[in-house]
Amino acid sequence: AVIQELVMRLQIHRKLNKHTGCVNTVGFNAAGDTLISGSDDQRVMLWDWDTGAVKMQFHSGHGDNVFQARFMPYTNDRTIVTCSADGEVRVAKIQDGRDVLTSLLGEHDGRAHKLAIEPGSPYIFYSCGEDGHVQHFDLRTDTATELFICRKPVAKSGYSSHVRLNAITIDPRNPNLLAVAGNNSYARVYDIRKCKSGGSSDFAQPSDCYCPPHLIGNKNVGITGLAFSHQSELLVSYNDENIYLFPKNGGLGPDPKSSVKIGGGEGSNSTVFASGEDVDLPAPQVYVGHRNCETVKGVTFIGPNHEYVASGSDCGRLFIWRKRDGKFLRAMEGDECIVNCIEPHPHAMTIASSGIDNDVKLWTPSAVERARVVNVEELKPRKRKAKLWQFALPEELVWHVLASRRRQPAAGEDSSEDLEDNTELLNLVLRAANRDNLSDESDEDEKTSDGSGEYVCFQKGYFV
């Protein structure tokens, strides 16, 4: 009851506004006094979040949007690892003179969305990318080792395509277990010890797969966010769908194609395996009301014992539910367009959020009046200040947009050339959108909207 009272009194404590692009990653250090953020401006900032002061900032070394930045444990906050839309995984080391040395550790063929740090280790972490690869890093040797490629079940043609990975997380109670997910309906858990034994028949095979019964085999959904609780429960956020919490050992087993749903309704917990064994799996807890369609959103737990679930939404709000029964509690205004990231403080009921806006919002339970609990149906649609179109951008269009933004015609200058350029730009946009639609219709296996395309916010003038 005390923790819920704090949740109901969360309000914006401070806005950190120094980035010049979308803020794609936020996180606290172990002590909780420093916040790290990374942005489309390719910079990493370290903040005294309570006062709003920038402790230091540096260029990440990446050539594209920074997607994640994390402190390595037990390094006195001097070692930071990052990944980016350029596919690179890098390390930044803060020197005694406050100089920052950044170096390349490894690369993905495609964007690298997330990192997972081995709990308590100052050296070991993992990355995942849209190429389906999961890589292992050891900072003692600055080496990258490919652990495995995450693949979809073998199709009738005998071909198995890779999963474009958006999320990776480690079970804090068993750091040998690594969960990954992307443009596929299954969250896959791998035992790292088996992945390292290259001669094993279990090599690159998941030890367990998680999926709500009604989404098994659904090619129209993907997963954007994962999180393990302190109790080894797995939290999974689907695009164009809901968020689900699976109990420990509540998966379908290593081969999801060997199990089929019975009944087909949401909440069904009857599953029969190909062997004929009838297994009564508990239905996952579901969290509804937010919208996860346009960007790659994370999902997280808040509270000292992970009593609550939190997610951003396409409506620009932060949503909070009670974990045990899925009761909706809060929807807080967090962004003009979309909230993508929510990160809890390690010790206090404080959270950081970010999204399409260029700032980071810090939330503390400081409101004088307790927020009223409302039904999801009571939430009014928000008018967004910028419209987002989703499609894969050709390189030609990207450079054309950037070149157009750099040109500033002088007063009295003939603008007919600019009009011609704008017409050409519009045609490129329409061709790209049409090409993307045709691609979606023709490739049924890749239909899922997994956030792997670029997103353009034309009104605000930057890429998401």
Side-chain angles (χ1 to χ4, degrees):
V2 174
I3 302 300
Q4 185 161 319
E5 187 70 21
L6 297 177
V7 169
M8 302 310 291
R9 293 183 184 274
L10 285 169
Q11 67 175 6
I12 293 179
H13 166 72
R14 187 174 298 282
K15 295 180 182 180
L16 310 179
N17 193 7
K18 293 290 184 182
H19 282 292
T20 57
C22 306
V23 181
N24 307 310
T25 175
V26 290
F28 293 93
N29 65 346
D33 60 351
T34 302
L35 184 88
I36 189 170
S37 62
S39 166
D40 285 5
D41 61 16
Q42 301 169 20
R43 301 194 70 79
V44 173
M45 294 192 181
L46 276 56
W47 309 79
D48 179 332
W49 63 266
D50 193 25
T51 65
V54 177
K55 291 184 173 183
M56 72 176 304
Q57 58 176 302
F58 59 91
H59 193 279
S60 63
H62 290 289
D64 211 330
N65 308 345
V66 177
F67 279 167
Q68 192 151 57
R70 287 288 184 263
F71 292 110
M72 291 300 292
Y74 301 108
T75 62
N76 199 25
D77 300 337
R78 290 191 169 203
T79 301
I80 294 165
V81 290
T82 59
C83 64
S84 163
D86 61 11
E88 293 184 353
V89 178
R90 302 182 67 90
V91 61
K93 295 186 178 180
I94 302 172
Q95 309 298 300
D96 288 338
R98 291 176 62 83
D99 290 334
V100 181
L101 301 179
T102 69
S103 58
L104 177 66
L105 294 175
E107 291 183 87
H108 287 271
D109 184 13
R111 294 186 285 185
H113 282 281
K114 286 291 186 290
L115 306 171
I117 297 170
E118 183 175 294
S121 171
Y123 309 113
I124 306 298
F125 71 99
Y126 303 84
S127 70
C128 71
E130 291 181 357
D131 56 3
H133 291 243
V134 172
Q135 296 187 41
H136 168 277
F137 295 87
D138 188 333
L139 293 178
R140 288 167 295 196
T141 57
D142 285 347
T143 57
T145 305
E146 183 181 309
L147 272 188
F148 58 87
I149 301 175
C150 183
R151 296 191 180 277
K152 298 177 182 178
V154 178
K156 291 180 181 178
S157 63
Y159 175 72
S160 175
S161 60
H162 71 268
V163 178
R164 296 198 298 269
L165 296 174
N166 297 321
I168 183 170
T169 188
I170 294 177
D171 185 345
R173 298 192 66 176
N174 185 355
N176 291 311
L177 298 182
L178 187 76
V180 297
N183 69 323
N184 186 252
S185 60
Y186 301 103
R188 293 169 169 84
V189 176
Y190 292 82
D191 189 321
I192 294 168
R193 295 165 297 186
K194 291 183 179 180
C195 292
K196 289 180 179 177
S197 56
S200 167
S201 59
D202 293 329
F203 179 65
Q205 294 300 316
S207 58
D208 211 348
C209 296
Y210 292 79
C211 184
H214 68 290
L215 293 181
I216 293 174
N218 189 324
K219 294 181 179 180
N220 297 313
V221 298
I223 295 169
T224 66
L226 294 172
F228 272 113
S229 74
H230 293 327
Q231 297 79 33
S232 297
E233 303 155 306
L234 184 60
L235 190 64
V236 183
S237 180
Y238 283 83
N239 67 287
D240 286 324
E241 242 274 344
N242 300 315
I243 296 170
Y244 296 90
L245 180 71
F246 296 90
K248 182 181 179 181
N249 301 325
L252 300 167
D255 182 9
K257 289 207 79 173
S258 70
S259 61
V260 294
K261 59 183 177 177
I262 302 295
E266 187 171 326
S268 168
N269 64 349
S270 180
T271 303
V272 62
F273 289 85
S275 63
E277 180 186 0
D278 194 359
V279 179
D280 189 25
L281 291 176
Q285 179 60 58
V286 61
Y287 307 91
V288 303
H290 77 308
R291 182 167 173 77
N292 180 8
C293 180
E294 295 188 10
T295 56
V296 177
K297 290 176 190 62
V299 68
T300 192
F301 297 96
I302 59 175
N305 293 307
H306 288 176
E307 297 94 336
Y308 302 92
V309 167
S311 172
S313 174
D314 289 340
C315 65
R317 299 183 177 104
L318 288 73
F319 280 69
I320 300 177
W321 301 265
R322 197 161 57 199
K323 185 182 82 170
R324 60 180 167 84
D325 58 4
K327 181 176 176 56
F328 167 68
L329 296 177
R330 299 288 308 271
M332 307 180 297
E333 307 291 334
D335 195 279
E336 288 184 2
C337 284
I338 298 171
V339 175
N340 289 323
C341 307
I342 299 178
E343 289 291 328
H345 189 278
H347 315 302
M349 182 54 76
T350 295
I351 58 178
S353 68
S354 67
I356 303 304
D357 291 345
N358 293 355
D359 63 12
V360 179
K361 278 105 176 164
L362 273 302
W363 306 76
T364 59
S366 52
V368 175
E369 293 187 8
R370 188 180 193 274
R372 182 175 67 91
V373 176
V374 298
N375 294 322
V376 170
E377 294 76 19
E378 294 180 51
L379 293 178
K380 296 179 181 178
R382 292 176 76 232
K383 289 184 179 179
R384 295 240 301 262
K385 294 187 178 180
K387 182 171 176 59
L388 295 171
W389 287 271
Q390 177 191 349
F391 50 80
L393 287 177
E395 189 174 322
E396 180 187 6
L397 175 56
V398 173
W399 288 111
H400 198 98
V401 171
L402 294 176
S404 297
R405 289 179 62 199
R406 291 192 194 103
R407 279 199 303 269
Q408 298 292 335
E413 195 173 315
D414 185 6
S415 62
S416 60
E417 185 179 338
D418 289 329
L419 180 61
E420 204 172 295
D421 281 342
N422 286 336
T423 303
E424 182 184 351
L425 176 60
L426 179 59
N427 287 333
L428 281 169
V429 171
L430 293 175
R431 284 205 305 271
N434 185 54
R435 183 197 66 192
D436 198 59
N437 288 335
L438 289 173
S439 174
D440 282 348
E441 291 169 7
S442 63
D443 189 355
E444 194 171 294
D445 192 46
E446 301 296 333
K447 251 199 225 178
T448 175
S449 171
D450 65 321
S452 63
E454 294 282 359
Y455 299 84
V456 184
C457 188
F458 283 104
Q459 187 169 333
K460 298 193 77 170
Y462 50 73
F463 300 107
V464 180

